[in-house]
């Protein structure tokens, strides 16, 4: 069935360390993937996206890796800061006639000072 | 640019009452989405509009939920009558028209059913 899941519900890292948040997806037809950050009391905020014809994309301090062979997506945050503490969602989009986006359950990232 | 605006921010009602949420998307965004986010879960799509037409409402509980986007700009989502399990944050998002466009979210309406 269609599902997007995350390997770890919580992740705790030391300030300055790199963070890696993982996500598994099950639909091989998905062709667009997005990472969102959600802080308490706010809506999800777009971080970075990647299309299925790519396997890596870099932004400012963030990198997304896509492994279509094992249907795995990861978000790497370099030099994690206290402001990075939030819940991170991966989402996949597949073409079902329209474009349907499915969110995973999320990973909560704690950054220790 | 101004973000997605939603109101109210909070709403508390008793079960069986009705409630309505309002969303104003980013100017020029043709696609508008309503999501339900239950505490501890990811957002779940309720309905997706392309201009004033419905693209996907397969997960909308149509016996109690309704939504409209009459002029293709702002939108309202209504629940009537509300049930306890409707307690959640209702998020509105918008995106530009076209394949694979990121969605921009408002801060949501937190609904509590007593």
């Amino acid at each position: 069935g269609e599902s997007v899941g995350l390997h770890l519900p919580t992740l705790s890292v030391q300030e300055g360390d790199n963070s890696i948040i993982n996500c598994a997806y099950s639909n091989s037809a998905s062709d667009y993937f997005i990472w969102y950050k959600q802080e308490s009391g706010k809506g999800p905020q777009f971080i970075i996206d990647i299309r299925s014809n790519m396997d890596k994309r870099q932004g400012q301090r963030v990198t997304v890796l896509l492994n279509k062979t094992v249907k795995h997506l990861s978000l790497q945050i370099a030099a994690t800061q206290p402001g990075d503490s939030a819940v991170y969602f991966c989402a996949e989009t597949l073409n079902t006639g329209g474009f349907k986006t499915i969110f995973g359950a999320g990973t909560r990232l704690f950054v220790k000072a | 640019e101004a973000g997605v605006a939603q109101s109210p921010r909070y709403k508390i009602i008793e079960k069986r009452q009705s409630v309505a949420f309002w969303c104003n998307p980013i100017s020029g965004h043709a696609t508008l989405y309503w999501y339900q986010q239950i505490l501890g879960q990811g957002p779940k799509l309720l309905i997706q509009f392309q201009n004033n037409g419905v693209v996907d409402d397969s997960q909308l509980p149509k016996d109690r939920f309704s939504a409209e986007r009459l002029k293709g700009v702002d939108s309202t989502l209504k629940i009537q009558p509300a049930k306890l399990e409707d307690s959640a944050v209702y998020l509105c998002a918008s995106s530009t028209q076209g394949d694979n466009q990121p969605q921009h979210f408002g801060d949501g309406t937190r609904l509590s059913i007593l």
Side-chain angles (χ1 to χ4, degrees), chain B residues 39-84:
Chain B
L39 186 64
Q41 298 181 17
K44 183 185 85 171
L45 180 68
L46 294 174
I47 188 167
Q48 177 180 341
F49 291 95
Q50 183 76 20
N51 297 307
N52 61 352
V54 175
V55 173
D56 183 350
D57 63 356
S58 58
Q59 297 189 93
L60 186 74
K62 298 181 187 63
D63 58 333
R64 297 184 300 105
F65 287 64
S66 64
E68 60 183 16
R69 193 185 185 199
L70 294 176
K71 296 182 179 179
V73 181
D74 56 355
S75 175
T76 56
L77 175 69
K78 297 180 182 178
I79 307 175
Q80 182 179 12
K83 292 186 175 181
L84 293 175

Side-chain angles (χ1 to χ4, degrees), chain A residues 19-39:
Chain A
S19 303
I20 300 176
I21 301 172
N22 295 303
C23 175
Y25 66 94
S26 61
N27 199 315
S28 58
S30 294
D31 58 3
Y32 179 56
F33 305 86
I34 311 168
W35 281 100
Y36 289 94
K37 172 187 180 183
Q38 188 173 28
E39 297 174 285

Side-chain angles (χ1 to χ4, degrees), chain A residues 11-111:
Chain A
L11 177 65
S12 184
V13 299
Q14 197 70 37
E15 180 180 0
D17 288 351
N18 296 334
S19 303
I20 300 176
I21 301 172
N22 295 303
C23 175
Y25 66 94
S26 61
N27 199 315
S28 58
S30 294
D31 58 3
Y32 179 56
F33 305 86
I34 311 168
W35 281 100
Y36 289 94
K37 172 187 180 183
Q38 188 173 28
E39 297 174 285
S40 180
K42 295 191 175 181
Q45 176 187 6
F46 171 85
I47 301 173
I48 192 168
D49 59 1
I50 189 168
R51 287 166 171 70
S52 59
N53 61 351
M54 304 172 67
D55 53 20
K56 180 179 180 179
R57 189 161 189 230
Q58 289 184 293
Q60 187 176 13
R61 283 203 306 120
V62 294
T63 300
V64 56
L65 299 178
L66 175 62
N67 186 331
K68 295 182 287 293
T69 302
V70 295
K71 297 177 187 172
H72 183 268
L73 193 69
S74 69
L75 176 69
Q76 301 178 2
I77 304 173
T80 312
Q81 302 170 359
D84 295 327
S85 293
V87 177
Y88 289 81
F89 294 98
C90 66
E92 63 179 311
T93 299
L94 60 156
N95 189 344
T96 58
F99 292 94
K100 185 171 185 176
T101 299
I102 301 168
F103 282 78
T107 292
R108 182 173 294 280
L109 176 65
F110 293 99
V111 181

Side-chain angles (χ1 to χ4, degrees), chain B:
Chain B
E1 63 179 3
V4 175
Q6 289 189 248
S7 66
R9 287 285 282 132
Y10 305 93
K11 190 73 178 179
I12 301 173
I13 62 172
E14 295 184 347
K15 60 183 179 183
R16 291 187 289 273
Q17 287 187 324
S18 63
V19 64
F21 314 123
W22 174 81
C23 172
N24 192 6
I26 293 172
S27 178
H29 281 193
T31 310
L32 185 147
Y33 314 78
W34 283 103
Y35 287 86
Q36 180 192 60
Q37 186 175 25
I38 292 172
L39 186 64
Q41 298 181 17
K44 183 185 85 171
L45 180 68
L46 294 174
I47 188 167
Q48 177 180 341
F49 291 95
Q50 183 76 20
N51 297 307
N52 61 352
V54 175
V55 173
D56 183 350
D57 63 356
S58 58
Q59 297 189 93
L60 186 74
K62 298 181 187 63
D63 58 333
R64 297 184 300 105
F65 287 64
S66 64
E68 60 183 16
R69 193 185 185 199
L70 294 176
K71 296 182 179 179
V73 181
D74 56 355
S75 175
T76 56
L77 175 69
K78 297 180 182 178
I79 307 175
Q80 182 179 12
K83 292 186 175 181
L84 293 175
E85 61 259 35
D86 298 332
S87 292
V89 175
Y90 290 85
L91 294 163
C92 179
S94 69
S95 67
T96 56
Q97 191 168 347
D99 300 355
N100 298 336
Q101 299 297 325
Q103 297 173 30
H104 301 265
F105 284 81
D107 287 336
T109 296
R110 181 175 296 277
L111 176 66
S112 297
I113 312 295
L114 304 179

